[in-house]
Amino acid sequence: MSKEKKKTEQFEFQSEVKQLLDILVYSLYKHKEVFLRELVSNAVDALNKVQFQLLTDSDLDEKDRELKINIEFDKKKNKLIIEDSGIGMTKEEIVGNIGTIAHSGTVDFLKKVSEAKEESQVDMIGKFGVGFYSSFMVADEIHLYTKSYKKGSTGLVWKSTGTKDYTIEETDKKERGTRIELILKKDEKEFTEDYTIKNILSKHSKFIPFDIFVGKDKIESSPAIWTQPKSSLKKEDYDNLYKFIENSQEEPETYIHLSSDAPVQFNSILFIPKTSFEKIGLFKATPGVDIYSRKVLIQKESKDIMPEYLRFVKGVIDSEDIPLNISREDVQNNVIIDKIRKNVLKKIFTHLNDLKKKDWDKYLKIWENFMRNFKEGITSDFENKDKIASLLLFNSSVKDKNELIDLNTYIENMEKDQKEIYYITGMDLNSLEQNPALEIFKKKNLNVLYLTDPIDEIVIDHLREFEGKQFKIVSSADLKLDKDDKKEEDKDLKKDSDNFAGYLKTIYGDKVADVKISERLVDSPCILVNQSEGPSVQMEKMMKMMNKEYAYAKRVFEINKNNILIKELIRIHKKDPASKEVKSLSNQLLDNMMLREGVIDNIDSIIPQIQDIMLKASKNM
Ligand code: ADP
């Protein structure tokens, strides 16, 4: 900091700001006009804030001053001026707000944007907001005059050429608010054209709840459409509101317009976007529902009105029952807000469910974008988990494995005596399809849900049941399926196989919880299954990833006494209970199963064992 003139202070930009300026000026120059949208939106914020202060504090200066935005040009000096009668800034606020970047990820984000395809750039910039600095894309120099609404504030002017520093000095600005003068670059003269400015505003500023003047002309606006009757609105009106709120070129995937008089009065328009930036991996969505009271914005992007998992929902909730001076803590605990939230959530879930029935393709898109949010909801919103559950979609065994079904469809198509909802977990659909645990289900034509997302099992764990039907993992040891085609049991075979199972148990020792004769296998020789309440292998693998010391739960080894290999082993074992061959083959059977499940710790010991078996086999050839 050094003093040039009296009362003129010079400040360096934060290094992030310098980087940001570089990227803006050199990479995003194609979308220059966004600067106007950003400046107008800052002015609107400032007006919203002062409007809020006026309603809650009767002791303010300039109480009767009109809340508006003026845009003017000075063609000779190549200047564009945007002025608001908003909240203004103190010196500390200028330094804190304009000299630094609030979002820590801004620079990283902008780098990504500058590398993205050109069409998606505009939308990304819009959603994140590049803010005030974008003006340096068109201006050589910016002078920002401001005076805070706070009593006793002095007028200040901030000046910068957007390179490395800025100055602040006192000025004789008398009225509250901010006036931004852009001294435009030589080849940006178009922004001193009335027509150009009006054209940009018509795209971005239709829903602004304050008057905007370009020169003497007032810009037409249609704010607060959520208070109008649905019948008077067209899809286009909703689309435009969404584009305005989201600074986006894209239409929403779907919208919901709600009006209620009892038990609480509120109007709301909510949107579900077409894109999920979270899914693309760009950044975590921030909450997107604004709270209004009688058309006055009282909390922008409220963190408290919607549950966290619905952060992708955008829009407006306006209620005259919400007190204007409500604080953040009060929003969390307010009874009215609570009632509104309950009502709104119910409507969102009903809307999505209807969409699922009426417009499957649209629903699928929403599902693909926001499934993670729904699943998060089931694990965090106890009250609504069952409603969210009917939004879930799964791959399953009776259909083409790539086709998705919901739980309602699953239940509608259950077999007559089927009492449970069967599921299986695994890494991918192809390996799930090969799982021997499915054999009996395929034979009986029972549908099994395929769970491939690691969070699915946690979700099922939270649900436990759906419409009175319990979830049951098909690899559970206590799975009871009605026996069919009961042939006369071969008593000898039963005795011999029981003996063999007993033998396996002695040689496996504590590597397994038990050895049993399987009722679920049709073709395969054997399988490892979970103990009745034990975690699935998928779940255990996750635990192992988090904690190397984690020891896998012991599982039950089942053999298929009708399988030819098992039959052979039973035969030899009966002849020679001490057979070394049977022992080594039996050990290999267990290792094979552990390999298939991916739960073996010491793969190296298996290979010599297999080679030994191969050697013996080749000697008999
Ligand atoms: P953002 O609007 O995303 O916060 P900006 O860089 O556009 O980022 O603005 C930074 C901050 O500067 C704003 O959050 C606000 O506090 C302040 N600011 C900008 N323009 C104005 C204005 N016209 N009146 C009052 N404060 C403003």
Side-chain angles (χ1 to χ4, degrees):
M1 207 193 296
S2 73
K3 282 193 176 175
E4 277 180 5
K5 277 187 282 174
K6 207 180 170 208
K7 281 193 179 162
T8 303
E9 291 182 76
Q10 192 175 349
F11 300 84
E12 274 258 325
F13 280 127
Q14 193 194 17
S15 68
E16 274 101 337
V17 176
K18 287 187 217 158
Q19 291 183 43
L20 175 78
L21 285 164
D22 265 7
I23 300 174
L24 281 173
V25 176
Y26 295 107
S27 309
L28 297 175
Y29 55 90
K30 290 186 202 87
H31 308 296
K32 277 182 253 185
E33 66 170 53
V34 300
F35 84 90
L36 187 63
R37 183 181 73 190
E38 298 291 328
L39 291 185
V40 170
S41 118
N42 281 347
V44 171
D45 280 351
L47 288 165
N48 269 322
K49 286 178 190 156
V50 93
Q51 185 183 40
F52 182 73
Q53 290 299 333
L54 285 166
L55 285 160
T56 51
D57 179 358
S58 54
D59 187 30
L60 280 188
D61 293 344
E62 300 178 72
K63 258 164 77 176
D64 301 321
R65 193 133 168 255
E66 205 186 334
L67 299 176
K68 62 172 184 177
I69 300 169
N70 278 326
I71 300 181
E72 280 157 32
F73 327 99
D74 183 335
K75 286 203 178 190
K76 271 195 212 123
K77 293 187 180 150
N78 207 16
K79 257 193 205 176
L80 170 66
I81 301 154
I82 293 130
E83 179 161 25
D84 65 67
S85 54
I87 202 159
M89 280 179 272
T90 61
K91 192 167 101 186
E92 289 68 36
E93 284 166 344
I94 301 182
V95 175
N97 297 336
I98 304 277
T100 47
I101 296 179
H103 300 284
S104 53
T106 305
V107 171
D108 285 346
F109 167 76
L110 274 177
K111 279 188 190 143
K112 277 191 194 153
V113 176
S114 62
E115 287 153 13
K117 280 206 209 98
E118 217 196 300
E119 319 87 74
S120 55
Q121 278 187 352
V122 193
D123 253 27
M124 287 158 75
I125 300 170
K127 291 211 174 117
F128 202 75
V130 284
F132 175 77
Y133 292 105
S134 55
S135 307
F136 283 111
M137 294 195 282
V138 297
D140 277 332
E141 193 172 341
I142 299 177
H143 298 171
L144 176 149
Y145 296 83
T146 189
K147 183 172 175 291
S148 166
Y149 77 104
K150 288 175 188 155
K151 276 186 189 293
S153 306
T154 39
L156 298 164
V157 57
W158 173 98
K159 291 181 183 167
S160 178
T161 53
T163 43
K164 60 183 201 317
D165 52 16
Y166 60 88
T167 59
I168 298 177
E169 63 191 275
E170 286 187 5
T171 177
D172 60 355
K173 183 170 174 28
K174 299 240 165 28
E175 296 183 310
R176 175 195 75 214
T178 303
R179 173 185 169 93
I180 295 170
E181 299 192 0
L182 307 181
I183 294 108
L184 297 168
K185 294 183 194 238
K186 275 205 188 66
D187 45 4
E188 305 297 348
K189 285 201 168 65
E190 56 167 328
F191 295 112
T192 57
E193 296 296 334
D194 190 76
Y195 167 81
T196 314
I197 296 297
K198 282 181 181 159
N199 198 17
I200 303 174
L201 289 178
S202 72
K203 274 192 246 166
H204 300 302
S205 308
K206 218 168 159 236
F207 296 92
I208 288 178
F210 303 99
D211 288 340
I212 304 183
F213 293 88
V214 177
K216 285 192 190 69
D217 302 336
K218 191 168 134 184
I219 299 289
E220 279 300 314
S221 72
S222 54
I225 61 163
W226 52 90
T227 58
Q228 293 167 22
K230 285 174 219 177
S231 54
S232 71
L233 296 168
K234 293 199 242 17
K235 177 176 178 294
E236 206 189 337
D237 297 313
Y238 294 104
D239 288 350
N240 286 336
L241 175 64
Y242 174 78
K243 290 181 189 173
F244 170 70
I245 295 180
E246 276 296 279
N247 266 340
S248 170
Q249 314 260 311
E250 203 174 69
E251 287 161 16
E253 190 70 72
T254 182
Y255 64 84
I256 312 167
H257 188 167
L258 307 171
S259 299
S260 157
D261 287 317
V264 271
Q265 186 283 334
F266 74 90
N267 291 299
S268 168
I269 297 181
L270 298 171
F271 299 100
I272 295 183
K274 262 193 173 43
T275 343
S276 161
F277 284 90
E278 251 176 65
K279 191 183 147 212
I280 307 172
L282 273 181
F283 49 81
K284 193 169 173 187
T286 44
V289 176
D290 301 336
I291 309 179
Y292 283 76
S293 174
R294 296 170 200 263
K295 301 185 195 174
V296 177
L297 180 65
I298 58 169
Q299 216 179 71
K300 204 177 169 173
E301 303 183 335
S302 167
K303 287 193 178 68
D304 307 304
I305 190 125
M306 300 288 267
E308 155 102 15
Y309 66 92
L310 289 181
R311 55 190 173 274
F312 64 91
V313 177
K314 309 291 166 187
V316 171
I317 295 177
D318 187 335
S319 167
E320 55 191 48
D321 294 336
I322 301 177
L324 275 168
N325 55 353
I326 193 166
S327 69
R328 253 212 76 189
E329 295 74 51
D330 289 344
V331 172
Q332 282 170 340
N333 304 316
N334 185 285
V335 220
I336 296 159
I337 300 253
D338 215 43
K339 282 189 184 143
I340 296 177
R341 180 190 303 116
K342 277 207 178 92
N343 198 319
V344 166
L345 289 188
K346 206 168 105 194
K347 297 279 168 47
I348 292 179
F349 299 134
T350 317
H351 179 83
L352 287 171
N353 247 312
D354 289 349
L355 207 59
K356 177 156 65 82
K357 285 181 204 138
K358 289 183 203 135
D359 193 343
W360 177 254
D361 289 342
K362 202 179 229 338
Y363 183 73
L364 265 188
K365 286 190 200 139
I366 296 178
W367 168 251
E368 273 156 21
N369 275 324
F370 305 109
M371 60 171 107
R372 272 297 166 117
N373 298 73
F374 297 153
K375 293 175 185 179
E376 206 180 305
I378 291 178
T379 61
S380 61
D381 185 349
F382 185 77
E383 213 176 307
N384 289 302
K385 69 178 169 46
D386 296 323
K387 291 198 191 82
I388 311 173
S390 52
L391 299 176
L392 296 176
L393 300 183
F394 297 95
N395 301 90
S396 70
S397 63
V398 298
K399 294 239 175 182
D400 172 342
K401 70 171 184 302
N402 297 311
E403 217 173 290
L404 291 164
I405 61 162
D406 63 4
L407 291 171
N408 306 85
T409 315
Y410 181 95
I411 288 186
E412 276 159 33
N413 294 308
M414 273 174 36
E415 292 294 305
K416 221 168 82 226
D417 308 320
Q418 188 181 341
K419 292 184 188 66
E420 292 165 319
I421 303 172
Y422 300 117
Y423 69 93
I424 185 167
T425 63
M427 300 300 272
D428 63 88
L429 295 176
N430 289 332
S431 79
L432 277 184
E433 274 203 315
Q434 304 304 321
N435 194 314
L438 284 177
E439 289 174 0
I440 188 75
F441 291 86
K442 285 191 181 143
K443 192 173 164 199
K444 287 174 177 281
N445 204 24
L446 292 167
N447 200 7
V448 177
L449 301 176
Y450 289 165
L451 273 51
T452 46
D453 185 350
I455 195 183
D456 283 344
E457 216 175 330
I458 304 170
V459 169
I460 297 290
D461 222 42
H462 274 83
L463 286 175
R464 301 214 158 251
E465 54 168 57
F466 182 76
E467 297 196 342
K469 308 273 187 284
Q470 301 242 325
F471 287 96
K472 187 89 195 167
I473 187 159
V474 298
S475 52
S476 166
D478 70 345
L479 184 85
K480 298 253 177 325
L481 291 173
D482 294 335
K483 281 187 206 159
D484 58 358
D485 48 31
K486 271 192 195 150
K487 284 183 225 139
E488 262 308 294
E489 276 246 39
D490 179 337
K491 289 225 177 73
D492 284 343
L493 177 59
K494 182 166 185 327
K495 193 172 140 244
D496 295 345
S497 43
D498 282 346
N499 277 341
F500 183 60
Y503 164 76
L504 290 181
K505 205 169 167 193
T506 56
I507 63 165
Y508 293 163
D510 62 2
K511 281 196 232 159
V512 296
D514 202 357
V515 179
K516 284 186 176 159
I517 310 297
S518 185
E519 282 174 12
R520 80 183 77 217
L521 293 174
V522 179
D523 301 315
S524 303
C526 55
I527 187 170
L528 269 176
V529 296
N530 297 334
Q531 295 191 66
S532 43
E533 290 302 317
S536 77
V537 185
Q538 273 337 96
M539 190 72 102
E540 288 202 294
K541 281 188 198 159
M542 290 217 297
M543 297 196 246
K544 185 93 176 171
M545 270 197 305
M546 289 183 275
N547 171 17
K548 275 212 154 60
E549 304 297 302
Y550 178 84
Y552 287 107
K554 278 186 206 155
R555 308 177 72 218
V556 178
F557 189 75
E558 291 188 358
I559 52 170
N560 176 3
K561 64 180 192 302
N562 301 312
N563 170 277
I564 179 148
L565 174 59
I566 299 294
K567 275 185 169 160
E568 279 303 297
L569 290 173
I570 292 175
R571 183 183 60 79
I572 310 168
H573 173 71
K574 194 175 171 187
K575 225 170 49 188
D576 175 11
S579 159
K580 279 200 189 114
E581 282 69 29
V582 173
K583 187 172 178 185
S584 100
L585 289 171
S586 300
N587 279 327
Q588 189 59 45
L589 271 185
L590 177 60
D591 286 346
N592 286 354
M593 286 305 103
M594 293 176 73
L595 266 179
R596 139 162 240 299
E597 306 276 321
V599 296
I600 209 142
D601 281 331
N602 188 5
I603 292 196
D604 297 331
S605 70
I606 293 185
I607 292 168
Q609 197 175 290
I610 297 177
Q611 283 162 349
D612 200 38
I613 293 170
M614 289 166 75
L615 177 66
K616 281 182 189 134
S618 58
K619 280 184 182 158
N620 289 331
M621 280 176 195

